């Protein structure tokens, strides 16, 4: 072992922590203390590059820890100003706002006012069906993260459901939504309904004109505004309102930072 | 030197990671002033149910001359058409019958075809047409003067291409040729006018077919802009007709009709000649009409040969 106070001694101490612990309370601990004291009186030496590396690594760890704590699902997310907590994977609540309901009679006789109440009831019921369609198609994270929208297609009758599945990328957030978005939150939604009454004054068909907006937070930092407009025909089938025909247009937009500030990709969950 | 470089590299990495981390920890810009808004996808999806089947569908459409106070199914059926639909090929054929056609009315002997309804309502009229043509009719639709007027007004009028000048004080038709948007009163006048037509009742029957084609064209056009208009049309129709179709069947036909190209609808009137039967002015249906009936019964469509047997009654009208 090199003599105390020589570079070789210090190197041996640093690289053998077991030896240092064993020395701490013994006679050699006092010697070590003296060495450290002597070192304070030694001429200042230039810090070695490896110290920079250690500091940098420590800083990196610290920053990383802070980042993890304040972002995403970290415990400090939303607590530290300027940070936001990612929403938990719960389905946001969404209901279309009913703007207008009209009853269309199929018999010349009878008062229009008698049709108003059943028409409004039908409008309420069919709007609930469309709430389900858009919630399951765009907002239920179980669906959009997996790209599977079976629960959305349940509102269609069998013939319409077949076509709806084929047009899933237009009727939902899309098969690739899970890879594209971190979050999807509802915006505004409005519906106007026309209710065709049968000869007995009972609702038979409903044409619902809808407009729907939602906001997707993309994984690349951009945001996508989902815009869906269209009309759905619903018919009472075995006691349930089912979509029997539809015509829907998607016109999504991405809010993207200027190319000079950051790059971004086009979300793949957009309608094709 | 190598260690120093490593240290500097680590420091730079640290600074970069730190900057990125704190940068991304803040709220993401949603629509900053300098953001670019890109339309990333315009897509369309649609579905309308459609009847299908290998057998043609035949619908008898009747227009009653019943005046107020008379049940419409007891008036004279002054407008008579078979509307044949080939679902496989999305083709429609309209075959009109002059109201004065001298035919056998089952159980009543020979008479004008329009007299079947006052004697036995739509069922006897159906029997008469089926006996005449051999075509099995699936449904009937019956309307009246007021029904036509009201239905057209309920859908906001009808755009009709008036093929020639029509000025007739009886029907109140007063049109120059050309495309024009008509209200219910004018559409009824257009459909009733026979005095200003060279071919009289034959030409009038063809004009009634033109009204049906115009309604189909307008329905498709309006549906493309606003699908809910379909319910307006169905409601307007149902309020102003009597029919053997259920509402569900009407809706099915309405959805199916959207796939029919109005320009490909064949509009014919059975060929014949006018004459006298006793003191009555009547129409004797040509014997070649039997070829048209059998061709139509086959698949709901007519061959070019059959169509040639019944040239347009208004072809010489200017």
């Amino acid at each position: 072992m090199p003599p105390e106070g020589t570079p070789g001694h210090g190197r041996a101490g640093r690289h053998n922590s077991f030896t240092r612990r064993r020395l701490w309370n013994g006679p050699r601990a006092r010697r070590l203390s003296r060495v450290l004291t002597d070192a304070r009186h030694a001429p200042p030496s230039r810090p070695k590059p490896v110290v920079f590396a250690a500091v940098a690594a420590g800083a990196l760890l610290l920053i990383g820890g802070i980042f993890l704590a304040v972002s995403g699902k970290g415990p400090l997310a939303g607590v530290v100003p300027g940070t936001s907590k990612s929403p938990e994977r719960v389905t946001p609540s969404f209901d279309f706002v009913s703007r207008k309901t009209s009853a269309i009679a199929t018999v010349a006789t009878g008062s229009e006012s008698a049709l108003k109440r059943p028409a409004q009831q039908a409008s309420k019921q069919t709007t609930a069906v469309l709430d389900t369609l858009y919630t399951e198609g765009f907002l239920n994270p179980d669906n959009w993260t997996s790209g599977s929208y079976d629960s959305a297609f349940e509102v269609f009758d069998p013939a319409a459901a077949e076509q709806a599945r084929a047009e899933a990328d237009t009727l939902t957030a899309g098969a690739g939504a899970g890879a594209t978005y971190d979050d999807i939150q509802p915006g505004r939604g409005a519906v106007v309904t026309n209710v065709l009454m049968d000869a007995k004054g009972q609702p038979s068909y409903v044409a619902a004109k809808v407009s729907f907006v939602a906001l997707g937070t993309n994984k690349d930092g951009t945001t996508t505004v989902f815009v869906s407009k269209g009309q759905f025909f619903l018919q009472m089938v075995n006691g349930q309102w089912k979509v029997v025909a539809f015509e829907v247009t998607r016109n999504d937009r991405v809010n993207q930072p200027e190319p000079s500030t950051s790059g971004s990709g086009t979300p793949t969950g957009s309608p094709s | 030197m190598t260690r120093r470089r490593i240290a500097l590299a680590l420091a730079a990495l640290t600074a970069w990671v730190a900057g990125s981390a704190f940068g991304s920890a803040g709220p993401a810009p949603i629509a900053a002033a300098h953001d670019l808004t890109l339309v990333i996808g315009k897509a369309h999806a649609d579905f309308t149910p459609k009847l299908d089947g290998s057998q043609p569908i035949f619908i008898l459409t009747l227009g009653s001359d019943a005046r107020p106070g008379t049940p419409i199914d007891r008036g004279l059926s002054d407008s008579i058409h078979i509307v044949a639909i080939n679902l496989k090929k999305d083709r429609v054929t309209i075959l009109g019958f002059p109201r004065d056609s001298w035919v056998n009315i089952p159980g009543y002997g020979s008479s004008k075809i329009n007299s079947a309804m006052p004697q036995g309502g739509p069922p006897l009229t159906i029997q008469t047409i089926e006996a005449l043509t051999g075509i099995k009719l699936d449904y009937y639709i019956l309307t009246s003067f007021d029904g036509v007027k009201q239905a057209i007004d309920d859908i906001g009028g009808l755009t009709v291409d008036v093929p020639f000048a029509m000025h007739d004080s009886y029907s109140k038709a007063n049109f120059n040729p050309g495309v024009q948007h008509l209200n219910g009163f004018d559409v009824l006048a257009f459909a009733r006018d026979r005095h200003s037509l060279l071919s009289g009742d034959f030409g009038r029957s063809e004009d009634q077919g033109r009204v049906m084609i115009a309604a189909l064209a307008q329905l498709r056009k309006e549906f493309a802009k606003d699908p809910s208009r379909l319910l307006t049309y169905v409601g307007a129709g149902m309020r102003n007709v009597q029919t053997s179709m259920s509402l569900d069947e009407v809706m099915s036909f309405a959805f199916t009709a959207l796939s029919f190209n109005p320009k490909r609808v064949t509009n014919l009137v059975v060929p014949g000649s006018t004459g006298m039967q006793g003191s009555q002015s009547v129409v004797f249906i040509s014997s070649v009409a039997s070829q048209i009936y059998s061709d139509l019964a086959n698949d709901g469509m007519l061959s070019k040969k059959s169509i040639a047997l019944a040239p347009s009654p208004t072809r010489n009208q200017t």
Side-chain angles (χ1 to χ4, degrees):
Chain A
M1 193 169 194
E4 290 180 3
T6 64
H9 174 84
R11 190 162 58 243
R14 277 200 305 275
H15 291 286
N16 192 341
S17 59
F18 174 73
T19 307
R20 283 180 65 184
R21 279 200 300 275
R22 208 156 45 96
L23 291 175
W24 200 247
N25 293 318
R28 295 187 70 175
R30 284 189 291 274
R31 283 204 298 273
L32 180 63
S33 174
R34 193 168 59 246
V35 169
L36 290 173
T37 305
D38 292 344
R40 286 190 210 114
H41 298 289
S45 61
R46 193 172 178 175
K48 294 177 180 175
V50 72
V51 175
F52 279 121
V55 170
L60 184 64
L61 286 171
L62 179 64
I63 290 161
I66 291 169
F67 175 63
L68 289 175
V70 301
S71 66
K73 292 178 178 176
L76 298 179
V79 176
V80 177
T83 65
S84 60
K85 186 177 179 71
S86 293
E88 292 177 16
R89 294 294 193 203
V90 293
T91 305
S93 172
F94 171 73
D95 295 304
F96 278 107
V97 175
S98 180
R99 298 281 187 217
K100 188 183 174 188
T101 298
S102 303
I104 299 172
T106 53
V107 288
T109 54
S111 69
E112 280 190 16
S113 58
L115 303 177
K116 198 172 177 181
R117 196 167 174 178
Q120 283 178 336
Q121 182 70 13
S123 174
K124 198 174 173 183
Q125 291 167 348
T126 51
T127 299
V129 172
L130 296 171
D131 290 343
T132 300
L133 172 61
Y134 276 85
T135 298
E136 298 303 313
F138 287 88
L139 306 174
N140 183 341
D142 289 342
N143 289 353
W144 62 259
T145 55
S146 66
S148 175
Y149 299 92
D150 288 346
S151 53
F153 299 128
E154 285 174 8
V155 306
F156 295 86
D157 87 330
E162 190 179 337
Q163 184 63 23
R165 286 178 189 279
E167 305 274 12
D169 276 352
T170 302
L171 296 172
T172 69
T180 307
Y181 308 111
D182 274 336
D183 185 34
I184 301 176
Q185 290 295 317
R188 60 190 182 278
V191 62
V192 173
T193 50
N194 287 291
V195 184
L196 186 70
M197 315 302 283
D198 67 14
K200 294 175 183 170
Q202 293 303 306
S204 183
Y205 287 82
V206 173
K209 192 183 298 186
V210 305
S211 64
F212 171 83
V213 175
L215 184 68
T217 304
N218 301 346
K219 289 183 185 296
D220 65 2
T222 60
T223 54
T224 295
V225 181
F226 296 98
V227 180
S228 173
K229 288 184 179 179
Q231 294 208 22
F232 294 88
F233 284 87
L234 297 100
Q235 181 187 7
M236 184 67 87
V237 179
N238 297 326
Q240 285 187 310
W241 288 104
K242 292 285 184 184
V243 175
V244 295
F246 58 85
E247 181 273 320
V248 176
T249 300
R250 278 279 291 283
N251 204 353
D252 295 354
R253 301 189 303 272
V254 160
N255 294 320
Q256 202 169 35
E258 282 184 335
S260 58
T261 55
S262 71
S264 62
T266 301
T268 56
S270 59
S272 54
Chain B
M1 283 300 285
T2 304
R3 282 181 180 168
R4 183 179 297 171
R5 280 180 184 164
I6 291 169
L8 288 171
L10 274 170
L13 178 68
T14 303
W16 179 70
V17 169
S20 300
F22 283 116
S24 63
I30 292 175
H34 297 291
D35 280 0
L36 298 176
T37 298
L38 304 175
V39 174
I40 59 166
K42 188 157 187 173
H44 186 86
D46 61 49
F47 173 78
T48 49
K50 185 176 173 298
L51 292 168
D52 58 10
S54 57
Q55 295 300 310
I57 293 172
F58 296 100
I59 302 167
L60 181 65
T61 66
L62 302 168
S64 168
D65 79 341
R67 301 311 200 264
T70 305
I72 66 166
D73 58 0
R74 287 296 182 268
L76 291 165
S77 54
D78 280 357
S79 170
I80 304 169
H81 294 81
I82 292 176
V83 177
I85 301 169
N86 182 309
L87 296 169
K88 264 188 170 178
K89 296 186 176 173
D90 291 337
R91 294 295 298 271
V92 177
T93 302
I94 300 170
L95 181 63
F97 297 82
R99 66 167 187 185
D100 293 335
S101 299
W102 189 253
V103 300
N104 180 55
I105 296 175
Y108 292 87
S110 292
S111 185
K112 285 185 179 180
I113 196 169
N114 64 352
S115 66
M117 202 158 72
Q119 296 178 80
L124 184 59
T125 308
I126 289 168
Q127 259 186 288
T128 301
I129 303 286
E130 287 184 340
L132 174 70
T133 63
I135 294 170
K136 175 82 175 68
L137 298 167
D138 299 295
Y139 303 98
Y140 80 89
I141 298 172
L142 167 65
T143 189
S144 62
F145 293 152
D146 283 345
V148 170
K149 261 196 304 191
Q150 192 61 53
I152 297 298
D153 285 339
D154 286 353
I155 61 170
L158 184 66
T159 299
V160 178
D161 187 359
V162 178
F164 36 75
M166 299 171 76
H167 303 287
D168 170 36
S169 58
Y170 294 95
S171 63
K172 313 289 187 204
N174 187 21
F175 309 112
N176 292 318
V179 176
Q180 42 210 291
H181 196 71
L182 306 180
N183 62 19
F185 180 89
D186 285 339
V187 169
L188 180 64
F190 174 82
R192 288 186 68 194
D193 179 18
R194 67 186 171 93
H195 294 101
S196 60
L197 304 183
L198 297 174
S199 53
D201 201 24
F202 289 91
R204 173 167 72 172
S205 186
E206 189 181 36
D207 278 350
Q208 290 160 358
R210 288 186 171 113
V211 170
M212 291 188 223
I213 295 169
L216 171 63
Q218 187 166 301
L219 168 65
R220 281 165 46 103
K221 197 173 176 182
E222 291 194 25
F223 182 87
K225 287 182 185 168
D226 179 1
S228 73
R229 288 287 292 167
L230 186 82
L231 297 190
T232 304
Y233 275 70
V234 169
M238 293 297 281
R239 285 193 300 275
N240 294 291
V241 303
Q242 184 184 102
T243 180
S244 56
M245 287 185 200
S246 68
L247 182 56
D248 283 348
E249 287 169 329
V250 170
M251 281 297 293
S252 294
F253 277 113
F255 278 125
T256 304
L258 299 170
S259 58
F260 301 151
N261 182 349
K263 290 180 180 170
R264 299 190 71 194
V265 174
T266 303
N267 182 22
L268 290 183
V269 181
V270 292
S273 56
T274 54
M276 296 300 289
Q277 183 66 38
S279 60
Q280 299 183 84
S281 172
V282 300
V283 167
F284 295 108
I285 294 175
S286 168
S287 59
V288 299
S290 59
Q291 293 176 52
I292 296 172
Y293 303 148
S294 61
D295 191 8
L296 192 63
N298 185 39
D299 61 359
M301 294 171 59
L302 291 175
S303 65
K304 285 182 180 174
K305 189 179 168 188
S306 295
I307 292 170
L309 295 173
S312 167
T314 58
R315 64 190 182 282
N316 296 322
Q317 185 91 34
T318 55

